[in-house]
């Protein structure tokens, strides 16, 4: 007779094709049953890594994610990664063991309370409702685009529960991107502003990508003659890159950011306009008319003068129709500007004054050598500036920064297996720092095992927590806690079966050129241990320093 765990595993497997996690007492029966369903389970080396890999899997594929961990210490190990998924609005189901129905044991914790504290709801299964509860948890994740915890009490996991009901299609109570009615007058105001604009500018974020608005936004940019740009998570959304300035904020080139300040009308689609995107309030000139189109309840920045609550694709279509109906002509602004020159970043000095690599120079060279089909996954840290500035990607689903929503580090290496499972045709490129890399080092093994020759890790090794040195060290605070003994990540990688290369000058990057030239099945996972200077501060970090000074 099928058990409770069988009900959970089979219902989940009807909607999810990949589960990441670590096995323990609390989920052993679930994983045994999952093995019989045909769904793929990828073992990670840390419970946080299971959630991170699932999160990255969703960001790269768009499909609902699933992870699993045991109860108690296994569950509490997931909390930082789970908080990140909640902040990033990732539809994810975390299957965990839980205390017996008879009550907690001496090592038990209130898992429901812990989940609630980070904004994640828990659904607990029983022997009469396990399949239905699993379906409800899945629908919750899809409806609200948030994680849900699915708890299996320890004494219930192997209990007989009758025949497993046939899986039915999920029916979330609201679509992931809700259809929001907007007024014709609101759209008319935006269309009128764009029709009259001499220097129109369009900015798109991840919300526009989720709304599948890229093609329409490209047509709108052409119809208005607008210069375009994106947020860090919206990179590559505009189909015509000749007139695109790249990423706004501290990841953008200074010339490009100055051009944005010349815009007389700016329309923002599906972007939250956080402090980094907005350069801490300096992105737009105070005289620029700024319109925001988003599914949020209201405008998300004080500089927004006109807000339309709407789906980005629907609104862009409506604006485009109005412009065409009135015979509006493109402004000609974008053809009058040398966008390519403005988009160029500083090349650096090769070797910095302290004798270590200038991160700008090495970042640019790596960008030239990386495979074109890359998916870039990023940990958090000062180094974010270099990869985001110098490594363009083809579309927003080819870049993910697992950790930035919750401002954490140490989630880099486990992102690789999730992205690799979602995009088996692509090369997965991790960018991480030495601080975050050491936190997540156990799942370097997972990255090597799952990605193999399609995986590349770049470790920006400055022997310090660079962001803290740049902010608090410059204020005169004690530097010793901010420093890290220089670790040989290349040697560690070789211990896990990868190829590890210490990069002290640009010639050492010939190893990357040789690796890229080989077929993925002929090469090992590659880790580049970049010995960079900590004296070169990324532009976005300089903005943070300025604001906090």
């Amino acid at each position: 007779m099928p058990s409770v765990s069988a009900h959970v595993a089979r219902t989940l497997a009807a909607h999810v094709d990949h589960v990441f996690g670590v096995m323990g007492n609390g989920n052993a029966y679930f994983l045994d049953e999952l093995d019989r369903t045909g769904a793929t389970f990828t073992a990670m080396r840390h419970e946080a890594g299971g959630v991170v890999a699932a999160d990255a899997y969703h960001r790269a594929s768009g499909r609902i994610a699933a992870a699993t961990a045991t109860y108690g210490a296994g569950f509490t190990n997931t909390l930082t990664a789970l908080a990140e998924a909640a902040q990033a609005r990732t539809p994810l189901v975390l299957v965990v063991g839980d205390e017996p129905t008879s009550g907690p044991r001496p090592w038990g914790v209130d898992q429901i309370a812990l989940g609630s504290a980070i904004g994640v709801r828990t659904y607990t299964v029983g022997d009469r409702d396990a399949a239905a509860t699993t379906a409800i948890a899945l629908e919750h994740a899809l409806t609200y685009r948030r994680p849900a915890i699915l708890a299996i009490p320890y004494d219930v996991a192997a209990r007989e529960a009758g025949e497993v009901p046939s899986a039915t299609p999920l029916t979330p109570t609201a679509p992931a991107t809700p259809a929001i009615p907007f007024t014709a007058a609101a759209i008319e105001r935006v269309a009128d502003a764009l029709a009259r604009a001499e220097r129109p500018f369009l900015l798109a974020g991840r919300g526009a990508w989720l709304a599948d608005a890229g093609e329409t936004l490209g047509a709108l940019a052409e119809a208005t003659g607008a210069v375009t740009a994106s947020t860090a998570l919206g990179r590559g959304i505009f189909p015509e890159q000749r007139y695109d300035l790249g990423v706004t904020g501290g990841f953008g080139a200074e010339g490009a950011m100055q051009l944005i300040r010349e815009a007389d009308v700016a329309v923002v689609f599906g972007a939250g306009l956080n402090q980094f995107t907005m350069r801490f309030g300096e992105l737009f000139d105070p005289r620029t008319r700024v319109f925001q189109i988003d599914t949020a309840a209201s405008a998300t920045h004080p500089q927004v003068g006109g807000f339309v609550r709407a789906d980005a694709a629907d609104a862009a279509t409506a604006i485009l129709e109005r412009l065409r109906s009135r015979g509006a002509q493109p402004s000609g602004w974008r053809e009058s500007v040398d966008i390519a020159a403005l988009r160029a970043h500083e090349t650096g000095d090769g070797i910095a004054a302290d004798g270590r690599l200038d991160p700008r120079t090495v970042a640019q060279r790596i960008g030239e050598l990386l495979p074109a089909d890359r998916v870039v996954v990023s940990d958090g840290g000062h180094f974010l500036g270099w990869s985001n500035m110098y490594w363009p990607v083809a579309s927003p689903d080819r870049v993910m920064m697992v950790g930035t929503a919750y401002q954490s580090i140490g989630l880099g290496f486990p992102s690789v297996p999730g992205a690799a499972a979602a995009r088996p045709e692509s090369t997965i490129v991790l960018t991480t720092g030495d601080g975050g890399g050491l936190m997540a080092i156990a799942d370097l093994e997972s990255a090597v095992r799952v990605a193999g020759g399609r995986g590349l890790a770049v470790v920006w090794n400055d022997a310090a927590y660079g962001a803290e040195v740049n902010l608090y060290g410059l204020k005169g605070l004690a530097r010793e806690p901010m420093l890290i003994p220089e670790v040989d990540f290349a040697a560690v990688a070789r211990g896990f079966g990868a190829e590890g290369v210490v990069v002290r000058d640009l010639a050492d990057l010939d190893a990357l050129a040789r690796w890229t030239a080989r077929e993925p099945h002929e090469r090992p996972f590659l880790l580049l241990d970049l010995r960079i200077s900590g004296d070169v501060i990324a532009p976005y970090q300089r903005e943070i320093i300025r604001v906090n000074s």
Side-chain angles (χ1 to χ4, degrees):
M1 184 71 70
S3 67
V4 166
S5 293
H7 281 237
V8 173
R10 295 182 197 178
T11 305
L12 188 73
H15 306 287
V16 171
D17 54 12
H18 215 115
V19 180
F20 303 85
V22 178
M23 193 277 287
N25 288 353
N27 62 349
Y29 287 102
F30 163 74
L31 285 172
D32 178 64
E33 293 291 348
L34 186 72
D35 187 58
R36 309 172 200 275
T37 67
T40 300
F41 172 68
T42 294
M44 304 296 289
R45 299 303 168 223
H46 193 284
E47 286 89 358
V51 176
V52 171
D55 191 343
Y57 179 83
H58 164 74
R59 299 192 202 202
S61 69
R63 298 193 290 275
I64 190 169
T68 185
T70 188
Y71 48 68
F75 173 74
T76 55
N77 273 347
T78 69
L79 288 176
T80 294
L82 198 58
E84 163 67 19
Q87 296 279 349
R89 301 186 66 83
T90 299
L92 181 155
V93 174
L94 173 61
V95 181
V96 297
D98 203 355
E99 64 187 31
T101 56
S102 57
R105 294 162 293 185
W107 56 87
V109 294
D110 190 341
Q111 297 184 182
I112 294 176
L114 289 171
S116 179
I118 57 173
V120 180
R121 179 173 294 182
T122 298
Y123 294 90
T124 304
V125 304
D127 57 5
R128 297 176 183 270
D129 65 352
T133 301
T134 302
I136 290 170
L138 286 161
E139 288 186 351
H140 176 94
L142 286 172
T143 297
Y144 300 105
R145 294 193 62 84
R146 295 185 72 86
I149 297 166
L150 188 63
I152 308 175
Y154 182 68
D155 58 340
V156 167
R159 189 178 297 174
E160 292 184 354
E163 293 302 318
V164 180
S166 300
T168 56
L170 297 177
T171 54
T173 55
T177 304
I180 300 173
F182 48 81
T183 66
I187 291 296
E188 195 68 41
R189 282 193 292 272
V190 180
D192 184 64
L194 284 173
R196 297 171 183 270
E198 296 179 359
R199 298 177 302 280
F201 170 69
L202 303 183
L203 173 62
R206 184 168 179 255
W209 172 257
L210 293 175
D212 196 22
E215 184 176 342
T216 306
L217 288 175
L220 182 60
E222 182 178 359
T224 58
V227 170
T228 65
S230 68
T231 66
L233 295 179
R235 281 187 289 172
I237 188 170
F238 286 98
E240 180 53 83
Q241 293 295 296
R242 286 183 301 164
Y243 306 114
D244 192 79
L245 294 171
V247 179
T248 64
F251 296 156
E254 185 58 32
M257 297 306 99
Q258 290 305 315
L259 183 70
I260 292 173
R261 290 185 64 84
E262 296 181 19
D264 54 0
V265 174
V267 186
V268 181
F269 293 86
L273 299 181
N274 63 34
Q275 59 185 354
F276 303 111
T277 296
M278 292 294 289
R279 304 190 81 190
F280 297 90
E282 297 294 325
L283 182 66
F284 298 121
D285 186 276
R287 295 166 294 183
T288 304
R289 295 182 65 189
V290 181
F291 297 88
Q292 183 184 23
I293 296 169
D294 200 83
T295 57
S298 60
T300 59
H301 196 276
Q303 283 186 262
V304 174
F307 178 75
V308 182
R309 190 170 189 235
D311 170 78
D314 292 343
T317 299
I319 295 168
L320 186 60
E321 289 173 350
R322 282 161 174 77
L323 289 172
R324 286 173 173 170
S325 67
R326 64 170 66 180
Q329 296 298 309
S331 66
W333 186 39
R334 64 181 188 173
E335 288 81 8
S336 69
V337 181
D338 187 350
I339 298 292
L342 294 174
R343 201 168 49 209
H345 293 289
E346 296 176 343
T347 58
D349 299 321
I351 300 296
D354 60 1
R356 296 171 72 93
L357 281 167
D358 187 319
R360 298 168 296 185
T361 309
V362 71
Q364 180 171 338
R365 181 57 180 151
I366 290 174
E368 295 166 353
L369 295 173
L370 288 176
D373 70 341
R374 59 184 172 268
V375 173
V376 178
V377 298
S378 180
D379 200 352
H382 174 227
F383 64 88
L384 273 171
W386 313 129
S387 52
N388 278 288
M389 292 171 69
Y390 294 89
W391 302 350
V393 294
S395 58
D397 59 339
R398 288 181 169 270
V399 60
M400 58 206 68
M401 292 184 280
V402 181
T404 54
Y406 191 52
Q407 297 292 292
S408 71
I409 68 172
L411 304 183
F413 282 121
S415 297
V416 175
R423 306 299 290 261
E425 79 289 355
S426 299
T427 300
I428 312 302
V429 183
L430 168 68
T431 175
T432 187
D434 50 338
L438 286 170
M439 285 188 186
I441 200 71
D443 276 309
L444 169 57
E445 188 279 329
S446 305
V448 172
R449 169 169 40 89
V450 177
R454 294 188 298 111
L456 165 67
V458 177
V459 181
W460 304 85
N461 190 349
D462 60 357
Y465 294 105
E468 284 70 25
V469 169
N470 294 333
L471 184 57
Y472 298 106
L474 293 178
K475 289 184 176 183
L477 275 67
R479 293 173 62 93
E480 191 61 31
M482 308 172 192
L483 304 180
I484 302 170
E486 188 166 78
V487 173
D488 189 342
F489 283 91
V492 175
R494 289 191 288 270
F496 282 127
E499 179 182 351
V501 178
V502 175
V503 180
R504 292 189 173 89
D505 57 50
L506 292 182
D508 293 328
L509 289 177
D510 290 347
L512 175 57
R514 293 190 296 269
W515 184 86
T516 302
R518 298 164 63 185
E519 293 296 325
H521 66 276
E522 297 175 343
R523 64 195 188 199
F525 188 98
L526 175 63
L527 184 144
L528 300 177
D529 182 351
L530 309 181
R531 303 301 170 84
I532 63 164
S533 170
D535 294 341
V536 183
I537 302 176
Y540 90 94
Q541 191 82 55
R542 290 201 295 266
E543 290 184 353
I544 296 173
I545 294 168
R546 172 179 57 81
V547 170
N548 285 276
S549 295

